[in-house]
Amino acid sequence: MNMEHNKNEDALKLVLSLVKQEREIIYSGGGRKAILKQKERNKLLARERITYLTDANKPFIEIGVFAGYEMYEEFGECPAGGTVAGIGYVSGKQCVIIANDQTVKAGAWFPVTGKKNLRMQEIAMENNLPVIYLVDSAGVFLPMQDEIFPDKEHFGRIFRNNARMSAMGITQIAAVMGACVAGGAYLPIMSDETLMVKNNGSIFLAGPYLVKAAIGEETDAESLGGAITHTEISGIADYKFDTEEQCLDQIKKIMAKLGAKETAGFDRIKSAPPKKDPSEIYGILPSDATRPYDMLDIIERITDNSEFDQYKRDYGQTILCGYARVEGWAVGIVANQRKIIKTKRGEMQMGGVIYNDSADKAARFIMNCNQKNIPLVFLQDVTGFMVGSRSEHSGIIKDGAKMVNAVANSVVPKITFIIGNSYGAGNYAMCGKAYDPRFIYAWPSAKIAVMGGDQAAQTLMQIQINALKAKGESINPAAEKKILDDIKSRYEKQTTPFYAAARLWVDDIIDPADTRKLIAEGIAAANHKKITDTFSLGVFQV
């Protein structure tokens, strides 16, 4: 190991440590007081429920841990969007699990809570995975009702998805372990089976106080909509239990009996570990995001036997394309090459930039993977497409559009990892969030923006200074520097993986060492749904 490798490793592990620290704070939910209140009612916490429910020998991939991070400071924090969710295994069956965290504002729904729940339902529908809802929520967070209630991607969309998933044959099981109020009461009843815990679980359109105000009737929560009421009188619930553990045990029994369905048929053989040490990844990625490195070194620490069969190795070299296996699964990898390339013509090409030939190659490779029914993995570290008169005259927009077209119309599953830079149209071409990757993750080193911080800050500063000069104001060097520093600080905060994960632009900020596991689990999920769409590119400039 050389000094540069050690420096890179220290820098990446330092920021990874920060991610882990913030994650631990999020895991504490609404804080000690709220946790104690939950325990006093003999209720498990959201993550405890998931741990009890899921198979201990299988991974649980949490999605949206950082949802809502630093977004609602005026109302207090909203850790994990007030909902714990992810993909795990119950009785050997891979499924989506969504659990309200009652310690966070009584499980109330913030705007990002709705977005996160819709994301989980999207995952279920895309991959044909059963859904288990662990319900414990006070309903919409009223101070922000205008941002969660009426629009197409708001609260009501969840019940629409309940109906659509049922029509698609996707199993949905709801366990009501706490409050289930107002519009939220439709979710368990629109599921296939509804389970309730006595004395804690309740389902009603209006609680006792609202009933009193509306029609003057005196009642209590258990009589109005408790487990006994709904299993013995209304008949809208299917099972009742004395404890949460008994309720979760019944879910395990139901899941154990689910029949198998037709798969997508992705190829898998016996897994083999990488020959090159995966832990060396930390030292490969430069601490300075502008520095070049060989992306092949990272790929070979993710793939089985460190093997990577390159496609068009000597053409379009600023994008690496090729076939590999990850945990036995066949994959096609599209990755930005970050080292500086010297072409056969003697030209120098900057690493991380997409040139005409690399865009052309990537588009062709994506077409091949669709032809062969091979899932795609994108490894992003891209500063954008090449600019300048030479590239424009060569048709860079046309070649870029060809690649974007192929990514947009691809029907095989796409899994994206943002390793470093993810700027401008490069984000789109390399299957950013807007291009429907089945899963998208960020390394702690990720930066997502229209352009790099320095370039953006200089551009915005010039606009601001010109506006001030137009008003007749003079700007001295000190004032100019302050403007630049303020813009750069604000802009760089918006490019961090924390900012992206808070808004669910990425599903999680991950330890780079988990990349291999997340690819394998993502393809395992995708393999549950047969591909019925036909790959077609439509019309574009050839």
Side-chain angles (χ1 to χ4, degrees):
M1 299 293 176
N2 57 34
M3 189 177 296
E4 185 68 24
H5 187 284
N6 292 337
K7 178 184 174 184
N8 294 340
E9 183 175 5
D10 289 345
L12 186 52
K13 285 189 173 179
L14 181 64
V15 69
L16 178 61
S17 174
L18 175 61
V19 171
K20 288 179 177 178
Q21 288 173 28
E22 294 300 314
R23 191 183 297 270
E24 287 302 317
I25 294 170
I26 289 169
Y27 284 170
S28 66
R32 188 170 181 273
K33 185 177 179 181
I35 289 170
L36 288 174
K37 187 176 179 182
Q38 187 89 334
K39 293 295 185 182
E40 286 168 4
R41 298 181 63 188
N42 295 317
K43 296 172 72 175
L44 298 172
L45 304 178
R47 286 186 177 82
E48 289 176 341
R49 289 167 176 165
I50 292 173
T51 298
Y52 185 91
L53 178 65
T54 53
D55 298 349
N57 62 337
K58 294 278 193 176
F60 176 72
I61 308 299
E62 189 167 346
I63 301 289
V65 177
F66 290 92
Y69 180 80
E70 295 185 343
M71 285 179 64
Y72 303 112
E73 292 174 335
E74 62 185 297
F75 299 111
E77 291 298 324
C78 181
T83 302
V84 182
I87 302 172
Y89 293 81
V90 177
S91 301
K93 311 291 173 55
Q94 196 175 27
C95 58
V96 168
I97 302 171
I98 305 168
N100 301 117
D101 187 349
Q102 211 274 339
T103 71
V104 180
K105 303 289 186 184
W109 289 60
F110 284 72
V112 79
T113 315
K115 187 173 183 179
K116 181 172 176 178
N117 277 262
L118 289 172
R119 171 64 181 141
M120 299 312 301
Q121 289 183 321
E122 178 185 52
I123 289 171
M125 288 187 283
E126 285 183 333
N127 301 291
N128 200 27
L129 294 177
V131 186
I132 297 170
Y133 304 98
L134 305 180
V135 185
D136 195 347
S137 171
V140 166
F141 184 63
L142 290 177
M144 302 189 76
Q145 65 86 27
D146 62 318
E147 296 182 44
I148 182 62
F149 169 64
D151 211 343
K152 180 178 178 180
E153 299 299 329
H154 283 178
F155 189 68
R157 187 78 172 183
I158 290 160
F159 313 129
R160 177 264 187 193
N161 286 351
N162 286 143
R164 290 294 305 127
M165 283 191 285
S166 184
M168 294 166 66
I170 295 174
T171 297
Q172 298 175 83
I173 301 167
V176 182
M177 299 174 153
C180 186
V181 186
Y186 287 103
L187 184 147
I189 310 311
M190 294 184 75
S191 298
D192 299 353
E193 298 190 70
T194 304
L195 301 79
M196 297 187 70
V197 178
K198 288 193 287 187
N199 300 316
N200 279 326
S202 57
I203 304 172
F204 33 63
L205 294 179
Y209 295 123
L210 186 53
V211 168
K212 170 75 173 176
I215 62 173
E217 180 185 350
E218 295 272 2
T219 186
D220 60 79
E222 193 66 19
S223 300
L224 182 65
I228 293 174
T229 294
H230 285 315
T231 56
E232 298 182 17
I233 300 173
S234 75
I236 67 172
D238 305 305
Y239 311 88
K240 63 178 180 291
F241 303 94
D242 293 324
T243 68
E244 291 193 7
E245 288 85 352
Q246 291 172 354
C247 181
L248 295 169
D249 286 339
Q250 181 64 29
I251 295 176
K252 295 179 186 181
K253 292 177 183 178
I254 295 170
M255 289 295 295
K257 296 177 178 65
L258 290 189
K261 296 185 179 181
E262 193 172 6
T263 69
F266 303 131
D267 187 67
R268 190 179 199 185
I269 63 173
K270 186 178 179 181
S271 173
K275 288 182 178 177
K276 295 186 178 180
D277 187 356
S279 69
E280 293 173 356
I281 282 178
Y282 300 110
I284 294 169
L285 194 72
S287 55
D288 179 352
T290 65
R291 294 285 301 276
Y293 65 94
D294 192 344
M295 179 63 83
L296 189 60
D297 288 337
I298 288 178
I299 293 172
E300 290 177 342
R301 284 158 179 82
I302 294 171
T303 61
D304 289 10
N305 290 318
S306 298
E307 293 175 350
F308 181 57
D309 299 326
Q310 283 203 53
Y311 172 79
K312 292 185 183 287
R313 181 192 301 269
D314 299 319
Y315 176 74
Q317 294 180 68
T318 63
I319 288 185
L320 296 173
C321 297
Y323 304 103
R325 289 191 182 272
V326 175
E327 295 285 0
W329 292 106
V331 297
I333 296 175
V334 181
N336 301 112
Q337 175 57 286
R338 282 305 309 267
K339 72 178 184 181
I340 297 170
I341 301 297
K342 184 175 181 180
T343 69
K344 299 296 183 183
R345 298 175 181 176
E347 301 163 344
M348 303 302 290
Q349 294 186 342
M350 293 185 291
V353 177
I354 303 176
Y355 288 77
N356 299 72
D357 53 0
S358 48
D360 176 70
K361 177 174 85 171
R364 176 76 180 197
F365 180 72
I366 291 165
M367 292 164 66
N368 277 337
C369 286
N370 277 270
Q371 182 86 340
K372 297 176 175 68
N373 199 31
I374 299 174
L376 285 159
V377 175
F378 290 83
L379 303 178
Q380 282 198 17
D381 192 347
V382 58
T383 53
F385 286 86
M386 189 59 190
V387 297
S389 59
R390 182 169 182 171
S391 290
E392 295 293 357
H393 295 170
S394 299
I396 187 65
I397 298 174
K398 174 188 70 178
D399 290 321
K402 187 189 304 181
M403 181 177 174
V404 168
N405 197 314
V407 172
N409 285 298
S410 177
V411 296
V412 296
K414 299 166 291 192
I415 303 174
T416 300
F417 295 86
I418 302 174
I419 288 175
N421 302 316
S422 180
Y423 294 156
N427 169 281
Y428 301 156
M430 291 294 294
C431 197
K433 180 69 172 179
Y435 287 77
D436 294 326
R438 294 289 179 99
F439 303 96
I440 179 168
Y441 300 102
W443 284 17
S445 45
K447 289 184 178 296
I448 306 169
V450 171
M451 63 179 75
D454 290 334
Q455 301 95 314
Q458 289 287 348
T459 303
L460 291 168
M461 182 187 71
Q462 282 306 127
I463 293 170
Q464 196 166 329
I465 288 173
N466 290 340
L468 291 170
K469 285 181 177 179
K471 295 177 183 178
E473 299 181 29
S474 60
I475 306 296
N476 61 44
E480 187 173 310
K481 183 178 184 303
K482 185 178 186 307
I483 290 171
L484 180 63
D485 290 344
D486 288 347
I487 292 172
K488 192 172 181 180
S489 174
R490 185 171 66 252
Y491 190 89
E492 288 189 346
K493 181 181 179 182
Q494 294 173 356
T495 69
T496 67
F498 289 107
Y499 195 89
R503 289 153 182 81
L504 290 169
W505 300 346
V506 296
D507 291 323
D508 197 9
I509 309 169
I510 67 164
D511 185 333
D514 289 335
T515 302
R516 181 174 159 84
K517 176 181 73 175
L518 291 167
I519 292 171
E521 287 300 310
I523 298 174
N527 197 45
H528 284 82
K529 186 173 183 179
K530 183 182 178 182
I531 296 172
T532 56
D533 294 333
T534 302
F535 178 66
S536 174
L537 289 180
V539 178
F540 62 93
Q541 296 289 336
V542 294

